DNA sequence: AAAGCTTTCAACCGCGTGGGT
DNA sequence: AACCCACGCGGTTGAAAGCTT
């Protein structure tokens, strides 16, 4: 929070909003609506910039703003969306009713970014009781699925026949079920987080996907 | 208890974009 | 085509709150 003060050049107030200012803004918008942010503060009797008013309204005063902790579901949506969209906070927030881009951005920097970078930089440090937090017993086993996921995805998108050898698993979406076959241990080079992001990008056409494979579940539920 | 450090998050700032002239 | 203006977005800041020593 910034301390209330004034901009010497413009005479406009800056810093934390008082309850009175909030009430003035709410009262004005309730009565006249939003017509021009830069002109509105003057008519509303506020010594604030239009930008400041807009920000205060959009992020805190607007009806239906959701406050409080983010749910696990919201966490997953943010992490998944961020892997696909990058720092497009507005686009990510649009997937979370009641959450603002600012709130999502802050939450990402305060909580979620660490979870991803922690694994990116030093996955070994997450091993506990001889097993990583991702459910794998060693790094090879943990990294290979990332690379493997793309193969799985590719197979389920392009093959529905018996052309794939070896093990069989099932991938289902809300409107279809596709059998696919793969050979997990054929995957030779370890994957990276970029591979994982690529996986989610390719997966996006399948909404509400349920994956009948432990490694896929590992990434969708535990890693994120 | 208090000093120092870290985290959180509301608010600000600069820039890009799009519409109007 | 060039300029202006309003708006929206994303990065950054810094006070307050929380935590640790």
């Amino acid at each position: 929070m910034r301390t209330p003060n004034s901009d010497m050049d413009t005479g406009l107030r800056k810093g934390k909003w008082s309850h009175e200012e909030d009430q003035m803004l709410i009262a004005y918008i309730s009565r006249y609506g939003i017509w021009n942010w830069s002109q509105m503060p003057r008519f509303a009797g506020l010594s604030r910039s239009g930008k400041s008013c807009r920000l205060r309204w959009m992020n805190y005063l607007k009806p239906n703003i959701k406050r409080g902790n983010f749910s696990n579901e919201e966490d997953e949506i943010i992490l998944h969306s961020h892997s696909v969209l990058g720092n497009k906070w507005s686009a990510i927030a649009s997937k979370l009713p009641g959450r603002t881009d600012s709130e999502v951005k802050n939450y990402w920097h305060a909580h979620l970014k660490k979870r991803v970078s922690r694994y990116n930089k030093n996955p070994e440090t997450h091993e506990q009781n001889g097993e990583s937090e991702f459910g794998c017993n060693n790094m090879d086993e943990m990294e290979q699925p990332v690379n493997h996921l793309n193969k799985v995805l590719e197979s389920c998108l392009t093959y529905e026949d018996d052309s794939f050898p070896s093990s069989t698993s099932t991938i289902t979406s809300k409107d279809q079920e596709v059998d696919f076959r793969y050979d997990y241990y054929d995957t030779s080079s370890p994957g990276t987080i970029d591979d994982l992001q690529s996986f989610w990008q390719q997966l996006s056409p399948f909404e509400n996907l349920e994956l009948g494979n432990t490694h896929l579940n590992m990434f969708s539920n535990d890693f994120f």
Side-chain angles (χ1 to χ4, degrees):
Chain A
M1 272 71 59
R2 286 153 193 255
T3 49
N5 56 6
S6 286
D7 186 309
M8 290 305 177
D9 296 330
T10 64
L12 296 175
R13 268 176 64 81
K14 295 171 86 172
K16 192 170 168 58
W17 278 65
S18 68
H19 179 68
E20 289 70 28
E21 286 178 306
D22 284 347
Q23 292 308 308
M24 286 168 78
L25 184 58
I26 291 168
Y28 186 86
I29 291 176
S30 300
R31 185 163 184 186
Y32 300 104
I34 298 165
W35 52 281
N36 183 314
W37 283 115
S38 57
Q39 299 290 323
M40 195 162 62
R42 193 159 50 90
F43 287 89
L46 288 159
S47 299
R48 292 276 182 174
S49 70
K51 264 190 168 186
S52 180
C53 291
R54 182 190 159 273
L55 197 74
R56 186 66 184 168
W57 174 257
M58 291 298 196
N59 289 336
Y60 305 98
L61 302 179
K62 193 170 69 173
N64 303 323
I65 297 275
K66 200 189 213 174
R67 316 301 300 180
N69 294 340
F70 281 71
S71 66
N72 290 337
E73 223 174 17
E74 287 176 310
D75 283 3
E76 287 186 19
I77 291 170
I78 294 169
L79 285 158
H80 176 197
S81 300
H82 187 269
S83 73
V84 175
L85 301 167
N87 296 356
K88 303 291 179 190
W89 305 117
S90 181
I92 295 170
S94 70
K95 298 175 189 298
L96 301 166
R99 300 293 188 184
T100 67
D101 55 345
S102 177
E103 199 178 10
V104 170
K105 178 175 57 179
N106 281 332
Y107 185 65
W108 166 265
H109 286 299
H111 303 279
L112 302 179
K113 187 170 73 174
K114 290 172 193 166
R115 265 159 71 179
V116 175
S117 62
R118 213 172 37 184
Y119 172 68
N120 261 340
K121 286 181 179 172
N122 192 7
E124 291 96 322
T125 61
H126 300 286
E127 290 185 12
Q128 294 166 353
N129 304 323
E131 189 177 84
S132 81
E133 65 180 296
F134 307 128
C136 295
N137 295 323
N138 59 61
M139 281 311 298
D140 283 343
E141 195 180 342
M142 185 157 66
E143 287 179 340
Q144 283 187 3
V146 180
N147 209 4
H148 164 62
L149 292 179
N150 284 324
K151 289 191 173 184
V152 170
L153 178 70
E154 189 183 336
S155 70
C156 76
L157 288 176
T158 57
Y159 296 93
E160 292 187 34
D161 53 28
D162 293 325
S163 59
F164 274 70
S166 193
S167 312
T168 304
S169 190
T170 302
I171 189 168
T172 59
S173 75
K174 61 183 176 186
D175 56 1
Q176 63 181 303
E177 179 167 310
V178 181
D179 286 324
F180 64 93
R181 294 166 181 239
Y182 63 94
D183 188 353
Y184 165 59
Y185 291 103
D186 271 358
T187 306
S188 52
S189 61
T192 66
I193 194 67
D194 290 336
D195 294 321
L196 183 60
Q197 291 178 354
S198 168
F199 166 75
W200 283 113
Q201 278 178 334
Q202 294 172 72
L203 198 62
S204 58
F206 293 87
E207 288 184 1
N208 302 325
L209 205 56
E210 289 180 10
L211 304 164
N213 175 291
T214 53
H215 290 111
L216 295 176
N217 281 328
M218 174 185 90
F219 279 99
S220 61
N221 295 330
D222 295 337
F223 180 79
F224 283 149

